[in-house]
């Protein structure tokens, strides 16, 4: 042949395409067997001969038929004696064609290897035929195992034409595959033929015993060519003479089959294909397109469907970083919002329109799934509920484990993949802020199941740095939020900063870069708020919805008998009833499913561990210290609040509190080994330094958290936190003052419901104090507080008295109403409508009485504790008069002539025990008996002090309360002192006579002892304004703010009052002795 002639132009277009493709693929693989043959045949020379070079360039890429017929010299270079299989093959070919005489140039090796084993060309023909199910023998239709073989007449003709052996070899197998592929019916995909071949060639490369090198080269070349043709089948079907067909040119159906199936994608296929990605940019596209198709299929699935093969496919992808990198760079990895998309559409887009979203969407909280787990939920057996929830948890745990593995692999695949994955999570949380709105439409936000899975996976990503010693907490960089963070919190309420302040703070960008720990920490914090936290709070709403619909169902059922005579209305009512039943069953099933998901101990334990880290981190930021559990923080914190802390989103603390409250309520058992000092330190610190937090509800929730920790649990009679609260040095030093401070602060929280909220807050404070009171350290601390910080303590006691007065009045008034309602209901002459109204009023009064009476019992219990320990504090001038008046007034209610009005049916239902309540009052009287100021104050109470009430109480002590003799004796002694004091005071009042108006307190109507001038220029007694300011820091005449420091002593008036008193007393004494009064005025 003329060397200037080129065979390529004579090739058909498809053959030319194939040649170019093979040239590209051949460059990325190991040197082909024929090129190795050329290398082995090279003489020892510094420059290679042209023949081997041409062999390497053309063998992998040229068409077999053209190669064999037109360039035989490319396979017949001169060669030294060698056992190279291609050398032997070439020699044999030369001998058969009559073009050479050196066939027996190496007889010894030939005798050794061939006489004892199958000839290499025979072995190659047999093995390659078995692998690809091909034959060149027209008479042979099946292999030794009975598998049908495809006869290749074209290849046989080519080999005959070139005088080559009529056998399958490494040089001819490419042509063989191409010809065999043309015989695959158009209705079948080429991979239906090629993938089983791949499985067989992989098996051939892994024999039980190692193959000789020459045989290993043959099967490796077959493996390479098989993979190349698989890729051609997917990316270039024209190469095989086929038109593109989306149903055939995809890996999807094969990926979804088990890898052990003949037509399933095995890991070796992945490994081989992935190894070609650096040199072939179409390989990654094949896999990413397949995963996009799979993801779209999953978007239409629920957990009821056979989703497992789909998630398994993504799990397999996660073993190959190059595939994950390709996925992360795909346009559908993220949502691409368009101008016509609403915020709501963007919020749900992540769930169905991204590659990862549909996999995270699979959850037992999908409506169809809840109906499967909890069929007929209104009548379902509790045992069935528990077993269904256990099954649900196991299924979800396995699915979340897969999602975690996939996400972890994406994060570790490369920096680009990591950033893309974090961007996806950030988009999810940033577009779903409405999940925490007061009114949420399920169609406008991502689903609960999706968001719970997102939260659970992010919790798992935090695991590596959440060790028990908090050794990596310093890696969480607060400046992350000032480096254009992924987490969008612009519209979030801040802990203690307004919008303008926070925007100004975050506009000042921080230098440096943020680490991965900071990235995932803030993402997880946001995910808890919009994900798991929102789902937890949904349980309350579902309870309300279920109760409401059940009431509607009851009303409809009651109306049905009345509509029997009206078929049309009856039909409508039945339809409404069915709709209501369907609605309530849907809600109940969802509630049971949510409980099954969020009450999983393992998931909540992990969540709790994250919240412990958040707690420690918040304390470090607020205090500016390196706090860790085991270390103490000095309180109070600095008056200059760190701006970085003030500008944090409110949910940074809210998530912690809500999560702990949820676990305390539903899963307290996991707290026994999961809670450390940090949660107590967090609560005490921000109650003591409540000015660090703006939201009053958030501050009060810290009290709730401490209160929840005192609930008895198993062998822990004082709850999970009780023993620590009683014994912790940090708690001993700061807890009591913190609780008292917030007790005062909640009086004026500034919210509309503050008046009623404060009673619930104070009830919880009392419970915590009762839990720690056995430790004498707290009693001593309270005593010191009353002496050192007198104003603070007086304010606390005054509010305690205010509460006791109000609560007793409300509770006892409601008891009187209940008594009257119950009496009216026994009237048989009462009309049905009137009786129904009374029942309604009775129910309302009962509900209110139960709440008030429970608060009364706790308030009185607290007063008993405090008056026993702090007699001096409760008999201060600012306190003792009000305390005595409150005790006398309520003693009148309990033992006076109208006490019968408090008698109600089933008093325990209202937490009302008159004997216990009376006993509490008597104990308080006795506790303060040693103080003369108290004796005087009780006797001076002109409104409510009545000696007969004390006599009645004395009788009840003996007959009903069965008190010990020493208690009865102490009471009798005390009431005698009251009577004597009353006699003295009455005499003193007679001595003074009528008090001049200018000496009377305008508010109390009593003689002033220490008159002071208010900012409004009005004059009142000091004790009066002190009591007024304790309850309300306003001038009682102008309602303008003021403090006790604003008053000015009216010394002139005080002197005149004292002179007048002295004169009146002297006159009274003189009159009593029968003489004239001594003139005490100056001459």
């Amino acid at each position: 042949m003329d060397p200037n002639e080129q065979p390529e132009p004579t090739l058909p277009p498809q053959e030319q395409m194939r040649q170019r493709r093979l040239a590209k693929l051949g460059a990325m693989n190991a040197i082909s067997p024929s090129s190795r043959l050329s290398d082995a045949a090279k003489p020892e020379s510094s420059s290679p001969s042209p023949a081997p070079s041409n062999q390497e360039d053309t063998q992998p890429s040229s068409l077999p038929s053209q190669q064999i017929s037109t360039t035989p010299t490319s396979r017949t270079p001169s060669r030294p004696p060698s056992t190279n299989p291609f050398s032997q093959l070439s020699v044999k070919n030369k001998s058969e064609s009559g073009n050479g005489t050196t066939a027996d140039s190496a007889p010894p090796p030939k005798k050794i290897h061939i006489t004892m084993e199958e000839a290499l060309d025979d072995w190659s023909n047999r093995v390659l035929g078995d692998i690809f199910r091909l034959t060149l023998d027209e008479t042979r239709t099946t292999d030794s195992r009975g598998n049908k073989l495809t006869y290749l007449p074209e290849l046989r003709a080519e080999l005959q034409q070139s005088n080559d052996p009529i056998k399958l070899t490494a040089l001819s197998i490419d042509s063989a595959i191409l010809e065999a592929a043309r015989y695959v019916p158009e209705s079948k995909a080429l991979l239906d033929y090629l993938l089983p071949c791949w499985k067989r060639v992989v098996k051939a490369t892994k024999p039980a015993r190692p193959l000789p090198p020459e045989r290993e080269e043959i099967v490796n070349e077959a493996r390479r060519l098989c993979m190349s043709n698989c890729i051609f089948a997917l990316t270039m079907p024209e190469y095989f003479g086929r038109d593109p067909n989306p149903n055939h040119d995809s890996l999807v159906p094969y990926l979804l089959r088990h890898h052990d199936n003949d037509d399933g994608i095995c890991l070796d296929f992945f490994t081989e294909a992935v190894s070609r990605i650096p040199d072939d940019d179409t390989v990654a596209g094949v896999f990413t397109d397949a995963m996009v198709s799979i993801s779209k299929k999953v978007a239409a699935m629920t957990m009821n469907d056979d989703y497992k093969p789909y998630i398994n496919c993504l799990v397999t992808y996660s073993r190959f970083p190059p595939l994950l990198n390709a996925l992360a760079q795909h346009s559908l990895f993220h949502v691409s919002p368009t101008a016509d998309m609403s915020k709501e559409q963007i919020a749900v887009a992540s769930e169905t329109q991204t590659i990862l979203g549909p996999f995270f969407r699979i959850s037992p909280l999908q409506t169809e799934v809840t109906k499967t787990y909890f069929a007929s939920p209104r009548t379902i057996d509790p045992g069935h509920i528990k077993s269904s929830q256990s099954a649900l948890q196991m299924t979800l745990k396995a699915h979340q484990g897969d999602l975690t593995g996939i996400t972890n692999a994406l994060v570790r695949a490369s920096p680009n993949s990591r950033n893309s994955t974090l961007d996806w999570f950030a988009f999810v949380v940033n577009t779903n802020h409405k999940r925490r709105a007061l009114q949420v439409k399920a169609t406008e936000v991502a689903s609960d199941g999706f968001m719970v899975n997102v939260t659970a996976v992010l919790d798992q990503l935090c695991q590596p740095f959440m060790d028990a010693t908090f050794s990596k907490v310093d890696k969480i960089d607060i400046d992350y939020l000032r480096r254009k963070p992924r987490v969008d919190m612009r519209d979030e309420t801040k802990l203690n900063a307004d919008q303008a302040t926070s925007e100004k703070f975050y506009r000042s960008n921080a230098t440096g870069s943020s680490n991965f720990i900071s990235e995932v920490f803030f993402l997880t914090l946001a995910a808890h708020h919009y994900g798991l936290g929102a789902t937890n709070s949904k349980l309350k709403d579902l309870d309300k919805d279920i109760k409401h619909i059940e009431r509607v169902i009851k009303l409809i059922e009651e109306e049905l008998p009345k509509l029997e005579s009206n078929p049309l209305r009856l039909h409508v009512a039945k339809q409404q009833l069915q709709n209501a039943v369907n609605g309530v069953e849907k809600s109940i099933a969802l509630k049971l499913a949510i409980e099954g998901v969020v009450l999983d101990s393992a998931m909540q334990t992990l969540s709790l561990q994250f919240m412990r880290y958040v707690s420690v981190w918040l304390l470090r930021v607020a205090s500016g210290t390196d706090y860790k559990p085991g270390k103490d923080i000095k309180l109070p914190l600095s008056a200059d609040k760190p701006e970085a802390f003030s500008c944090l989103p409110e949910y940074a603390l809210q998530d912690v509190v809500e999560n702990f409250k949820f676990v305390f309520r539903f899963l307290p058992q996991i707290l026994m080994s999961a809670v450390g000092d940090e949660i107590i330190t967090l609560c005490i610190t921000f109650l003591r330094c409540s000015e660090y937090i703006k939201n009053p509800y958030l501050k009060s929730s810290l009290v709730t958290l401490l209160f929840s920790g005192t609930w008895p649990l198993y062998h822990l009679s004082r709850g999970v936190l009780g023993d620590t609260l009683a014994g912790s040095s940090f708690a001993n030093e700061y807890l009591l003052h913190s609780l008292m401070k917030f007790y005062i602060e909640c009086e004026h929280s500034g919210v509309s419901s503050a008046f009623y909220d404060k009673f619930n807050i104070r009830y919880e404070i009392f419970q915590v104090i009762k839990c720690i009171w056995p430790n004498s350290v707290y009693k001593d601390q309270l005593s010191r507080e009353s002496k050192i910080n007198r104003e603070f303590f007086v304010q606390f006691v005054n509010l305690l008295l205010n509460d006791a007065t109000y609560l007793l009045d409300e509770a006892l008034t409601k008891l009187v109403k209940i008594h009257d309602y119950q009496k009216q209901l026994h009237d048989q002459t009462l009309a049905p409508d009137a009786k129904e109204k009374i029942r309604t009023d009775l129910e309302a009064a009962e509900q209110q009485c139960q709440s008030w009476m429970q608060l009364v019992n706790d308030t009185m219990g607290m007063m008993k504790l405090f008056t026993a320990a702090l007699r001096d504090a409760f008999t201060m001038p600012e306190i003792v008069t009000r305390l005595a008046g409150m005790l006398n007034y309520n003693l009148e209610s309990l033992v006076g002539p109208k006490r019968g009005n408090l008698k109600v049916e089933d008093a325990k239902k209202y937490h009302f025990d008159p004997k216990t309540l009376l006993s509490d009052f008597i104990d308080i009287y006795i506790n303060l008996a040693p103080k003369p100021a108290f004796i005087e104050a009780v006797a001076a109470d002109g409104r409510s002090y009545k000696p007969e009430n004390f006599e009645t109480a004395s009788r009840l002590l003996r007959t009903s309360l069965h008190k010990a003799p020493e208690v009865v004796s102490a009471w009798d002694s005390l009431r005698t002192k009251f009577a004597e004091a009353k006699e003295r005071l009455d005499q003193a009042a007679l001595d003074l006579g009528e008090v001049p108006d200018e000496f009377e307190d305008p508010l109390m109507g009593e003689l002033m002892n220490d008159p002071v001038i208010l900012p409004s220029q009005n004059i009142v007694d000091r004790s009066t304004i002190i009591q007024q300011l304790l309850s309300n820091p306003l001038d009682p005449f102008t309602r303008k703010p003021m403090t006790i420091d604003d008053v000015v002593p009216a010394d002139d008036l005080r002197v005149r009052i004292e002179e007048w008193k002295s004169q009146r007393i002297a006159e009274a004494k003189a009159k009593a002795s029968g003489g004239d009064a001594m003139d005490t005025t100056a001459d």
Side-chain angles (χ1 to χ4, degrees):
M1 176 183 292
D2 189 337
N4 294 322
E5 286 186 33
Q6 297 296 329
E8 286 76 8
T10 64
L11 300 177
Q14 292 179 358
E15 302 295 344
Q16 295 179 38
M17 185 184 301
R18 169 186 174 278
Q19 183 176 11
R20 290 193 298 270
R21 185 70 182 184
L22 287 176
K24 185 176 181 180
L25 290 171
M28 72 179 181
N29 286 280
I31 299 175
S32 66
S34 58
S35 65
R36 294 189 187 96
L37 167 63
S38 300
D39 291 342
K42 290 178 186 177
E44 296 181 6
S45 174
S46 60
S47 61
S49 63
S53 175
N54 183 53
Q55 170 70 21
E56 184 168 25
D57 288 343
T58 60
Q59 191 276 332
S61 60
S62 59
L63 185 66
S65 58
Q66 297 289 338
Q67 175 72 13
I68 293 172
S69 61
T70 62
T71 58
T73 58
S74 66
R75 293 181 285 111
T76 57
S78 61
R79 57 191 185 283
S82 171
T83 58
N84 185 297
F86 292 100
S87 299
Q88 295 174 18
L89 192 60
S90 298
V91 170
K92 187 173 182 180
N93 290 344
K94 289 262 185 176
S95 300
E96 291 176 351
S97 62
N99 293 331
T101 58
T102 60
D104 57 350
S105 60
K110 189 174 181 179
K111 289 181 180 179
I112 293 173
H113 293 288
I114 295 179
T115 56
M116 300 183 64
E117 297 180 5
E118 184 179 14
L120 183 61
D121 53 354
D122 292 334
W123 180 88
S124 173
N125 183 62
R126 175 176 59 79
V127 170
L128 295 178
D130 288 346
I131 290 173
F132 294 99
R133 302 278 168 85
L134 304 175
T135 182
L136 297 174
D137 183 353
E138 187 176 6
T139 62
R140 186 170 176 240
T141 59
T142 60
D143 61 11
S144 59
R145 297 179 178 82
N147 299 306
K148 184 179 179 181
L149 300 177
T150 299
Y151 173 59
L152 305 177
E154 295 181 13
L155 179 58
R156 180 183 178 89
E158 292 171 1
L159 292 175
Q160 287 175 338
Q161 184 180 355
S162 62
N163 295 322
D164 285 332
I166 312 302
K167 295 180 180 180
L168 295 171
T169 65
L171 295 175
S172 61
I173 194 60
D174 192 17
S175 296
I177 295 172
L178 182 61
E179 183 178 346
R182 293 203 294 269
Y183 298 143
V184 176
E186 289 287 339
S187 60
K188 293 184 65 177
L190 288 174
L191 286 186
D192 288 346
Y193 165 68
L194 291 172
L195 277 179
C197 294
W198 171 261
K199 292 291 184 71
R200 292 189 290 272
V201 76
V202 168
K203 186 176 180 181
T205 60
K206 300 175 182 179
R209 290 185 297 175
L211 291 172
E214 59 273 16
R215 294 186 177 185
E216 184 178 2
E217 289 186 72
I218 293 173
V219 294
N220 285 341
E221 177 68 0
R223 174 184 174 128
R224 184 185 72 81
L225 291 172
C226 185
M227 174 55 66
S228 297
N229 281 277
C230 286
I231 295 173
F232 292 162
L234 294 166
T235 62
M236 198 168 60
E238 300 91 345
Y239 172 67
F240 299 96
R242 290 183 170 226
D243 293 328
N245 185 339
N247 295 326
H248 291 170
D249 308 336
S250 172
L251 280 176
V252 172
Y254 309 99
L255 289 168
L256 297 177
R257 295 166 189 159
H258 195 276
H259 60 79
D260 286 340
N261 293 358
D262 281 346
D263 54 356
I265 304 293
C266 62
L267 291 178
D268 293 282
F269 187 94
F270 274 96
T271 303
E272 180 71 21
V274 169
S275 70
R276 300 187 178 204
I277 288 179
D279 299 302
D280 189 346
D281 53 7
T282 64
V283 176
V286 168
F287 283 89
T288 53
D289 290 346
M291 185 49 63
V292 168
S293 298
I294 288 174
S295 176
K296 290 179 179 178
K297 291 177 182 291
V298 177
M301 291 184 172
T302 70
M303 195 167 264
N304 286 341
D305 299 315
D306 186 20
Y307 70 93
K308 198 64 179 174
Y310 297 81
I311 188 72
N312 286 343
C313 179
L314 189 53
V315 169
T316 303
Y317 270 49
S318 68
R319 300 176 64 171
F320 301 95
L323 293 184
L324 297 181
N325 289 333
L327 280 180
Q329 295 169 20
H330 195 279
S331 60
L332 289 181
F333 194 83
H334 300 111
V335 175
S336 299
T338 58
D340 59 338
M341 291 179 70
S342 65
K343 289 184 178 180
E344 292 75 18
Q345 290 174 324
I346 294 173
V348 300
S350 295
E351 194 168 347
T352 56
Q353 298 178 26
T354 62
I355 293 175
L356 291 180
F359 296 97
F360 277 80
R361 181 174 175 269
I362 296 293
S363 167
L365 299 185
Q366 293 169 295
T367 303
E368 301 85 348
V369 184
T370 61
K371 293 178 181 178
T372 302
Y373 276 102
F374 305 101
S376 303
R378 295 181 75 199
T379 58
I380 193 170
D381 177 75
H384 187 192
I385 292 175
K386 188 173 182 180
S387 61
S388 295
Q389 288 178 337
S390 297
L392 176 153
Q393 289 173 356
M394 291 177 63
T395 304
L396 181 60
K397 187 179 296 184
H399 182 57
Q400 288 178 347
D402 290 337
L403 294 176
T404 300
I406 292 164
T407 305
N408 201 29
L410 277 164
V411 167
R412 295 173 182 274
S414 71
N416 287 338
S417 175
R418 172 188 297 174
N419 289 330
S420 191
T421 304
L422 294 178
D423 286 341
W424 183 81
F425 280 114
F427 187 87
V428 169
V429 296
N430 290 339
T431 56
N432 278 283
H433 287 195
K434 286 186 69 174
R435 279 178 55 82
R436 294 311 295 255
L438 293 177
Q439 299 293 331
V440 183
K441 288 185 179 180
T443 57
E444 296 180 352
V445 293
S447 66
D448 288 305
F450 174 79
M451 294 301 293
V452 167
N453 286 338
V454 166
T455 308
V457 169
L458 285 172
D459 271 340
Q460 290 286 354
L461 287 185
C462 293
Q463 270 295 90
F465 66 81
M466 291 197 302
D467 60 323
T469 61
F470 298 85
S471 62
K472 296 183 180 179
V473 71
D474 57 339
K475 300 291 185 182
I476 303 170
D477 187 0
I478 184 64
D479 286 335
Y480 164 82
L481 297 173
R482 293 196 294 133
R483 296 194 187 104
K484 298 181 180 179
R486 287 184 167 89
V487 178
D488 180 10
M489 58 177 193
R490 287 171 296 178
D491 61 345
E492 286 295 334
T493 304
K494 305 306 185 291
L495 276 173
N496 201 8
D498 57 29
Q499 191 69 19
T501 302
S502 66
E503 287 179 357
K504 179 181 178 182
F505 175 73
Y506 287 119
R507 275 199 300 268
S508 60
N509 293 332
T511 58
S513 59
S514 299
N515 55 50
F516 176 73
I517 289 178
S518 298
E519 291 270 14
V520 75
F521 174 83
F522 286 101
L523 275 174
T524 307
L525 189 59
H528 269 279
H529 186 61
Y530 304 114
L532 184 59
T535 304
N536 288 346
S537 63
K538 193 171 186 176
L539 287 175
K540 293 181 181 179
D541 297 332
L542 282 172
D543 277 334
K544 293 178 182 177
D545 292 344
I546 291 168
K547 289 177 181 178
H548 171 71
I549 301 176
E550 289 287 9
R551 284 195 297 268
V552 171
I553 291 173
K554 184 179 179 181
L555 291 174
I556 296 176
E557 289 175 339
E558 291 174 352
E559 288 295 318
L560 286 179
K562 303 176 184 178
L563 302 176
E564 293 291 346
S565 59
N566 191 330
L568 181 59
R569 291 183 61 192
L570 181 63
H571 174 74
V572 172
K574 286 183 177 180
Q575 186 62 47
Q576 291 175 340
L577 178 63
Q578 186 59 49
N579 292 339
V581 170
N582 292 341
V584 78
E585 288 194 342
K586 179 180 177 181
S587 295
I588 294 173
L590 178 58
K591 177 194 172 188
L592 295 174
I594 290 178
E595 287 176 346
V597 170
V598 302
L599 298 184
D600 179 68
S601 297
M603 184 175 73
Q604 288 291 356
T605 298
L606 199 59
S607 176
L608 204 64
Q609 188 176 358
F610 176 75
M611 291 305 165
R612 291 183 62 195
Y613 254 73
V614 178
S615 302
V616 172
W617 178 76
L618 284 172
L619 288 168
R620 290 167 69 97
V621 175
S623 65
T625 67
D626 60 348
Y627 167 79
K628 290 181 182 179
K631 294 184 177 181
D632 286 338
I633 292 178
K634 187 68 177 176
L635 298 182
L637 299 177
S638 171
D640 296 326
K641 297 179 282 291
E643 198 169 10
F645 177 85
S646 297
C647 292
L648 283 174
E650 198 173 80
Y651 67 69
L653 180 59
Q654 181 183 348
D655 285 357
V656 175
V657 175
E658 287 186 351
N659 187 266
F660 270 93
K661 284 168 60 178
F662 182 85
V663 174
F664 269 121
R665 180 180 177 187
F666 294 106
L667 292 167
Q669 64 274 12
I670 72 174
L671 289 162
M672 297 171 65
S673 58
V675 174
D677 295 340
E678 69 282 341
I679 194 63
I680 291 176
T681 305
L682 181 82
C683 293
I684 295 176
T685 298
F686 293 120
L687 286 173
R688 178 66 178 82
C689 306
S690 56
E691 63 276 8
Y692 270 59
I693 303 170
K694 184 169 56 175
N695 187 341
Y697 292 115
L698 186 54
K699 288 186 276 192
S700 65
S701 64
L702 297 171
V703 177
T704 303
L705 198 53
L706 291 175
F707 167 56
S708 302
T710 64
W711 296 343
L713 176 66
Y714 302 131
H715 62 284
L716 302 174
S717 60
R718 294 196 288 187
V720 176
L721 300 180
D723 290 339
T724 306
L725 289 173
S728 162
S729 60
F730 183 79
N732 291 344
E733 186 172 357
Y734 300 114
L735 175 60
L736 191 59
H737 183 93
S738 299
L739 293 174
M740 293 171 64
K741 180 176 182 291
F742 195 66
Y743 187 101
I744 296 170
E745 185 179 323
C746 69
E747 180 75 15
H748 305 287
S749 64
V751 297
S752 57
S753 58
F755 181 78
Y756 296 100
D757 291 340
K758 68 182 181 182
F759 294 114
N760 294 323
I761 296 169
R762 289 169 178 172
Y763 167 79
E764 294 175 348
I765 289 175
F766 290 155
Q767 304 309 309
V768 177
I769 291 177
K770 282 198 293 186
C771 176
I772 62 175
W773 198 248
N775 186 343
S776 60
V777 170
Y778 289 103
K779 298 176 187 177
D780 297 339
Q781 190 181 92
L782 190 64
S783 178
R784 287 197 306 272
E785 197 78 48
S786 67
K787 297 172 183 175
I788 298 172
N789 200 348
R790 179 188 175 95
E791 183 179 346
F792 172 81
F793 186 80
V794 168
Q795 193 174 7
F796 169 75
V797 174
N798 179 72
L799 292 174
L800 182 62
L801 291 178
N802 286 351
D803 287 354
T805 302
Y806 177 83
L807 293 171
L808 282 162
D809 184 60
E810 288 292 320
L812 297 182
T813 301
K814 292 297 183 295
L815 282 171
V816 172
K817 286 186 176 181
I818 292 171
H819 168 83
D820 293 341
Y821 289 144
Q822 290 176 344
K823 186 176 180 179
Q824 292 175 36
L825 288 174
H826 288 112
D827 184 357
Q828 300 299 325
T829 63
L830 205 61
D833 292 344
K835 188 172 286 190
E836 184 63 30
K837 183 180 184 307
I838 292 173
R839 284 198 184 96
T840 302
D841 293 341
L842 174 61
E843 288 179 4
E846 286 179 338
Q847 291 178 356
Q848 292 175 335
C849 184
Q850 288 170 350
S851 299
W852 295 130
M853 204 67 231
Q854 192 169 3
L855 293 171
V856 163
N857 295 333
D858 282 285
T859 304
M860 295 303 297
M862 195 55 48
M863 290 188 66
K864 276 179 58 178
L865 291 179
F866 286 174
T867 54
L870 303 168
R871 292 187 180 95
D872 291 336
F874 277 83
T875 53
M876 293 177 183
E878 302 93 330
I879 299 296
V880 68
T881 301
R882 292 195 62 231
L883 174 59
M886 184 273 289
L887 293 174
N888 290 343
Y889 177 81
N890 288 286
L891 184 67
E892 165 82 9
S893 299
L894 292 174
V895 303
K898 295 182 179 180
R899 66 178 182 271
N901 292 337
L902 299 177
K903 188 174 183 180
V904 295
E905 299 171 7
D906 192 12
K908 291 183 179 179
K909 175 181 178 181
Y910 314 111
H911 311 290
F912 177 52
D913 185 348
K915 294 181 181 180
T916 301
L917 188 57
L918 176 59
S919 178
D920 288 343
F921 274 99
I922 290 174
D923 286 343
I924 294 172
Y925 274 110
I926 294 175
N927 287 342
L928 300 176
K931 294 298 177 179
F934 177 68
I935 303 292
E936 295 288 330
V938 170
D941 179 17
R943 185 183 68 160
S944 302
Y945 173 73
K946 296 178 181 178
E948 57 268 25
N949 290 337
F950 289 86
E951 293 174 6
T952 304
S954 181
R955 186 177 70 253
L956 292 174
L957 279 175
R958 296 181 177 88
T959 59
S960 298
L961 274 61
H962 305 293
K963 286 286 189 177
E966 55 269 22
V967 175
V968 176
S969 176
W971 177 255
D972 288 339
S973 174
L974 180 60
R975 67 188 180 90
T976 301
K977 292 180 181 179
F978 289 150
E980 294 172 351
K982 176 63 174 173
E983 186 176 347
R984 290 194 303 271
L985 290 170
D986 288 346
Q987 184 60 51
L990 289 173
D991 292 344
L992 291 176
E994 186 175 350
V995 178
D997 291 342
E998 61 177 323
F999 295 165
E1000 274 191 351
D1001 186 304
L1003 297 178
M1004 302 301 294
E1006 297 176 351
L1007 178 65
M1008 293 186 288
N1009 294 313
D1010 185 7
V1012 292
I1013 304 173
L1014 305 183
S1016 61
Q1017 300 306 308
N1018 291 283
I1019 300 176
V1020 297
D1021 193 76
R1022 184 181 294 273
S1023 63
T1024 301
I1025 192 58
I1026 287 176
Q1027 292 181 22
Q1028 169 70 24
L1029 295 177
L1030 288 173
S1031 301
N1032 197 350
L1034 302 174
D1035 187 313
F1037 296 95
T1038 62
R1039 310 303 295 167
K1040 292 182 179 179
M1042 66 165 290
T1043 67
I1044 194 62
D1045 296 331
D1046 296 328
V1047 303
V1048 177
D1051 292 332
D1052 292 343
L1053 181 59
R1054 178 176 52 78
V1055 170
R1056 290 168 54 201
I1057 291 173
E1058 289 175 354
E1059 290 176 349
W1060 177 83
K1061 284 173 62 178
S1062 299
Q1063 182 179 357
R1064 298 295 294 176
I1065 292 172
E1067 290 174 355
K1069 288 182 178 180
K1071 186 176 180 181
S1073 62
D1076 294 331
M1078 181 182 297
D1079 187 2
T1080 59
T1081 60
D1083 292 335

